[in-house]
Amino acid sequence: MQPSHDLPTAPERAERHEHSTVEAAIGALDEQFHTRREVHRHAPGVVVRPDDVQDVLEYLRAEAGFDHLSCVTAQQYPDRYETIYHLKQYDDPTAELSVVVPTPLDDPASQSGAPVFPTAGWHEREAYDLVGIEYEDHPDLRRLLLPETWQGHPLSLGYDQTRPQIVPYTEHVNPIEDDERAGETLLLNIGPHHPATHGVLHLQVTLDGEQVVDVDPDIGYIHRCEEQMCQSKTYRHQIMPYPDRWDWGGAGLLNEWAYARTAETLADIDVPEYAQVIRTMAAELSRMLSHFLAVGAYALDVIGDFTATFMYAIGDRERVQNVLEDLTGQRLMFNYFRLGGVAWDLPEPREEFLDSVYELVEGLPERLAEYHDLLTGNEVIQLRTVDTGVLPTETAKAYGCTGPVARGSAIDYDLRRDDPYGYYDNLEWDVVTEPDGDNFARLLVRLREIEQSARIVEQCADLLAEWPADERTVQSNVPRTIKPDPDAELYRAVEAAKGELGIYIRSDGTDTPARFKIRGPSFSHLQALPEMVQGEYIPDLIATLGSLDTIMGEVDR
């Protein structure tokens, strides 16, 4: 059997921090920009001046290979504001670096990272909106989640929660009316309540005839203060139910794992090997739930196929949900993971439960062949999706795309393999990529990933069936109250159904986080939408939006 540690030990973490690429980059920064180091758990941190942000990020991207801006975290301390750019490499996500930019309380302003990493555009707008940090040279610095008329910044320390807010009605204007592209254009509102937007998303679309000139995704309609709520809850018991709510498409267990991985690293909690196998099986069943909904809804979006493909997908989701309900006791909001393991063992009788798992995966190849007949072999689908919504590889990287969206653009990036956790590195499975970067490629990736998830689930079931009864430990011995060291901070991520789902936590020595930041993959993907649809037609816009498989719970949070 393999070692029972998913989380690296302290020496292993230190060795990872000594990653030659990271150390070389830090050394170069020290020489060129006179940076200083800051201790972060899991990834080294460097502190840079507010007026050096673009030069530092450009050097790290172009010269040191840090081409993936995973997340941007903003926060306020009693004596300063701070922005953290969490950088990785697509070729090696274990090469991580945190670029920390402090700014004074009386002048919370720094250079924008968006000219270097376009994905920073929305991240910095959110930081300005919620925390109050301003970013010079930002291409479009305005509020993102709250109305422009909102007074104050809700995540700043001095925010007055009792202050009334007035949101006046303003007539829609053409967002490019002063642009040379304006011409004879029409502003079309799609959403925020529209079935093709997959949630409360508002698209302001500028049309020239029937062609899309510009699209501005307007988000924030279901902002539920998830980060603030997690900051008020205890690590040990109270935070875990929240991640399920970020993705009601069925991927809640993957979100639970993102929190578990982060908190377990922060508190040095080990996970028994047996529990790792259960986690891995449950997570892949959850991925299948999400992908079945994605491909079924996509058939609705593109060809209005409700009776066949959509209902087939819902039927297969039901089969997966039946298995997960037996395991977790819930059909959607699972709350099954626990820090240090899972809530309980497989249901009794074990043989009967495992038989239901085998029955599920054994019937999948035949059913997936029907999906290919109905979708990938469908001429109408091909006409509507091949060569539409094209997202080139470098553009996908610039916007921080991950998951099936990135892998559909030939980016061979999957945290299950590249930054292993759980039991993935002990199993046989393949990372699925497609070269074309269009809507059809993203559909193919999800269908093929269902096959790979089934492979993983079957191997986990085999292991669980043979596991000695006296070694079936589902949880490690976790303290009743978890209080990480003050000012310990880290960013960890997992491969969720829609891509990299990451969480940044900063502790303050109490049993609740001082800062809890959620990085949802759909947030980055939706920001890339304008790059994919300019010059195309409204049906192409709908097909492209559907191919991103966004979920507004993780976009708005």
Side-chain angles (χ1 to χ4, degrees), residues 422-438:
Y423 216 73
Y424 288 111
D425 56 345
N426 302 315
L427 305 174
E428 295 292 330
W429 58 283
D430 299 316
V431 174
V432 177
T433 62
E434 288 291 331
D436 297 328
D438 57 11

Side-chain angles (χ1 to χ4, degrees), residues 130-175:
L130 300 184
V131 182
I133 302 174
E134 296 190 7
Y135 297 91
E136 300 166 357
D137 300 324
H138 190 284
D140 185 21
L141 189 62
R142 55 192 169 96
R143 290 189 183 270
L144 181 67
L145 297 170
L146 299 173
E148 281 296 317
T149 55
W150 197 268
Q151 302 298 306
H153 305 279
L155 287 184
S156 61
L157 296 182
Y159 179 67
D160 182 4
Q161 298 187 20
T162 65
R163 182 173 186 171
Q165 300 288 344
I166 299 175
V167 183
Y169 170 79
T170 54
E171 190 172 320
H172 288 301
V173 296
N174 188 333

Side-chain angles (χ1 to χ4, degrees), residues 461-483:
D462 290 339
L463 290 167
L464 295 171
E466 300 172 0
W467 210 278
D470 58 352
E471 296 180 15
R472 296 172 187 168
T473 305
V474 297
Q475 279 190 51
S476 59
N477 188 14
V478 179
R480 182 181 297 274
T481 302
I482 296 174
K483 294 184 178 180

